[in-house]
Amino acid sequence: MEMRKDDEASQEFAKAMEAAPDWLPARINYGIALFNQQPGDQLELTAKVKEAQGVFAEVLRRDPDNKHAHYCLGMI
């Protein structure tokens, strides 16, 4: 993700979520990689950002105090 290869990163984090479904950092990073694919000049949310919203909501269902998910939903 630091290289801004967000599409590739989202694919890798999806694999991590499959391998370790209860590992929340993989979910959070997957959501961030999806969110980062939103064009900066586009006001309407893309399908990937809407998916990211669902990912962060799922994280909060599992960990209601997760600061990363709260922050990312606030950014969206």
Side-chain angles (χ1 to χ4, degrees), residues 7-67:
D7 185 49
E8 293 174 33
S10 65
Q11 293 173 29
E12 292 302 317
F13 286 120
K15 291 176 189 175
M17 289 182 347
E18 286 180 28
D22 294 328
W23 191 46
L24 292 183
R27 286 193 186 285
I28 291 166
N29 284 310
Y30 175 70
I32 292 170
L34 292 173
F35 172 72
N36 284 341
Q37 294 178 56
Q38 175 80 11
D41 60 347
Q42 185 171 338
L43 296 178
E44 185 175 321
L45 298 182
T46 64
K48 289 185 179 187
V49 174
K50 289 178 183 178
E51 183 180 352
Q53 282 180 309
V55 170
F56 298 133
E58 173 63 24
V59 169
L60 290 176
R61 279 192 284 283
R62 296 178 183 200
D63 180 10
D65 295 325
N66 188 288
K67 62 185 175 189

